Amino acid sequence: MKEKISQKIIDVLGDVPVRFEVGDKEYRIYPPTLGRELILENLKKQLNIDPERAKNEPFEEVIKLCENNKPEVLRILAYSTIRRKRDMFNDALIKKRESVLNTVDIKDLATLFFTVITNTDLQDFIKHFGLDRDTENRRKIAKVRSKDYVVTFGGNSIFGGLIDFACSRYGWKPDFVVWGLNLTTLQMLFYDHADSVCLTKEEFKAAHLKEGGAVINADDPANMKLIKSIFRD
């Protein structure tokens, strides 16, 4: 499991695409950005997904979708194989890519589509690094901490809750946050950012906090080797 997570970290930080060929030409399925994912989510709502079958027979359900909802499947895959923001809004290019993908065998098309809709990187990271416990602890702290003279506004939408967080913390432009950064990296920066909260002894007891959680040793040579491999020419 540790080796699997390490490889996932490399792939996410390296923005590694999934490569495939149609005829004699190579195409790539790129990791979604926030902007691309918002577009794909609207398209996914048009699919007639059977939740029970998707859970018990996921690949069979994907094949059914490729057969019964092929126009939507082709559009989702077309968007997933285009990297630049300006090309995402080039309807002629999208239709051309759909035409290419339409020549792919139905089972191969299902395999590609399965790759797009079953990305579990974020959930795997949250579980492995104990980020769900951090989120629960933040909730407990917010519940018991004294709120005298503290008033909070905003953060009620994706604009203030995620985009503004990244822009304010890292000095990035909104366009880069939405279109230039893969979504898993953006979400991990949000969920796993370092933070400290000072509590009174009474507040700590009232929150019923527990110590623990996964820790990455920054001095571990193995971790340094992984990081260097990402940026190696």
Side-chain angles (χ1 to χ4, degrees):
M1 183 61 182
K2 183 178 179 181
E3 289 75 15
K4 182 180 179 181
I5 290 294
S6 295
Q7 185 59 52
K8 279 179 174 286
I9 291 173
I10 291 175
D11 291 344
V12 168
L13 291 179
D15 219 16
V16 178
V18 175
R19 293 176 170 82
F20 66 96
E21 293 183 355
V22 178
D24 59 352
K25 190 171 181 180
E26 180 182 275
Y27 296 89
R28 301 177 181 185
I29 295 175
Y30 295 101
T33 60
L34 176 59
R36 181 187 287 115
E37 187 61 23
L38 292 174
I39 292 174
L40 298 188
E41 283 300 318
N42 280 332
L43 289 170
K44 290 175 185 177
K45 292 176 182 177
Q46 301 174 32
L47 301 174
N48 300 314
I49 298 176
D50 183 335
E52 193 64 26
R53 194 179 185 200
K55 180 180 178 181
N56 298 320
E57 299 177 302
F59 193 71
E60 287 73 12
E61 177 64 11
V62 168
I63 290 179
K64 186 202 77 173
L65 292 174
C66 289
E67 293 174 340
N68 298 342
N69 296 86
K70 197 171 186 180
E72 291 82 8
V73 168
L74 292 175
R75 179 58 60 102
I76 288 171
L77 284 172
Y79 277 124
S80 299
T81 59
I82 291 174
R83 189 179 189 98
R84 295 181 298 183
K85 171 188 173 182
R86 65 183 182 186
D87 292 334
M88 294 283 290
F89 297 97
N90 184 333
D91 197 51
L93 179 60
I94 295 293
K95 289 181 178 178
K96 182 178 179 181
R97 187 61 50 84
E98 289 176 357
S99 179
V100 171
L101 292 166
N102 196 32
T103 65
V104 176
D105 176 84
I106 196 69
K107 288 189 177 180
D108 291 335
L109 189 69
T111 299
L112 296 175
F113 191 57
F114 192 77
T115 299
V116 170
I117 64 174
T118 57
N119 185 344
T120 62
D121 289 344
L122 180 63
Q123 290 77 16
D124 291 343
F125 289 161
I126 287 175
K127 181 179 179 180
H128 181 74
F129 295 117
L131 301 184
D132 50 347
R133 291 191 294 272
D134 284 351
T135 300
E136 177 63 13
N137 285 341
R138 287 191 177 100
R139 186 192 66 79
K140 290 179 179 178
I141 290 170
K143 187 176 181 180
V144 304
R145 198 176 185 196
S146 173
K147 295 181 173 59
D148 291 345
Y149 308 112
V150 175
V151 180
T152 302
F153 299 99
N156 299 316
S157 70
I158 195 170
F159 297 95
L162 185 59
I163 298 174
D164 180 66
F165 162 81
C167 292
S168 300
R169 187 175 179 88
Y170 304 105
W172 294 329
K173 299 294 184 182
D175 191 71
F176 174 74
V177 174
V178 176
W179 297 104
L181 192 66
N182 79 64
L183 182 57
T184 301
T185 295
L186 176 61
Q187 290 171 319
M188 283 298 293
L189 289 173
F190 177 77
Y191 284 111
D192 197 30
H193 69 275
D195 198 6
S196 298
V197 178
C198 294
L199 300 175
T200 66
K201 186 176 181 180
E202 291 73 21
E203 288 172 339
F204 187 87
K205 288 181 178 180
H208 303 291
L209 300 177
K210 295 180 179 179
E211 295 183 1
V215 177
I216 299 176
N217 183 2
D219 295 322
D220 188 339
N223 290 337
M224 289 303 300
K225 183 178 180 181
L226 290 175
I227 294 172
K228 288 180 180 179
S229 70
I230 297 169
F231 300 102
R232 186 169 55 234
D233 292 335

